[in-house]
Amino acid sequence: IKLIQSAQLVSYIQGVGRYAYKISASDTPNVEGENKEYAEGGAFATGMLPQLYKCNRASAKTVDKTFQLRAGNSFAGTIEDFLAVLRSEYQCLGITCEDVGGLWDGESYYAGAGPCVTNYGDYLAV
């Protein structure tokens, strides 16, 4: 069951990353300008927040606050910072960088949203 739960998180994390990227790359990275992206990102976040909260409350709060549909909410920081918050919890969530991958636009990875590599100490996943 634990492996199934971990595998389910991958699509939620990919969705959250996708909409965080769309918002961060926008000229109006606030809920008023990008309400559709905030709502869709929030839907994906809802699926992963309980498990993320169990791993790290601060990380869960960062994701939750990013997608709150409240007046004046604006994306803070960079996509790299946001993805780093998620990636720092992969081990606790039972997934790897290779499971999640990066954000692909059809020809290349979006700037700042390429895949990470899981560090296994002296060994790398190949």
Side-chain angles (χ1 to χ4, degrees):
I1 299 285
K2 182 71 173 158
L3 290 175
I4 294 169
Q5 289 173 335
S6 293
Q8 288 176 322
L9 289 175
V10 171
S11 59
Y12 294 132
I13 290 170
Q14 289 169 335
V16 163
R18 173 183 163 90
Y19 288 101
Y21 181 83
K22 285 184 164 197
I23 294 166
S24 72
S26 169
D27 292 335
T28 55
N30 56 51
V31 74
E32 290 81 9
E34 302 296 332
N35 57 15
K36 177 182 178 281
E37 285 72 16
Y38 274 88
E40 292 187 35
F44 282 105
T46 299
M48 63 172 283
L49 281 173
Q51 292 90 339
L52 187 59
Y53 186 82
K54 187 175 178 182
C55 288
N56 185 319
R57 290 179 180 184
S59 294
K61 287 180 183 179
T62 297
V63 172
D64 183 37
K65 287 182 179 181
T66 297
F67 292 105
Q68 285 181 356
L69 294 173
R70 58 179 170 74
N73 191 17
S74 185
F75 190 88
T78 65
I79 188 62
E80 293 90 349
D81 294 338
F82 182 82
L83 292 175
V85 167
L86 291 176
R87 290 172 175 171
S88 69
E89 302 307 324
Y90 283 1
Q91 183 176 8
C92 178
L93 293 170
I95 60 176
T96 66
C97 290
E98 293 75 22
D99 293 332
V100 177
L103 296 175
W104 185 256
D105 74 358
E107 296 181 17
S108 63
Y109 290 102
Y110 289 112
C116 60
V117 176
T118 302
N119 183 349
Y120 295 102
D122 292 336
Y123 304 96
L124 294 176
V126 290

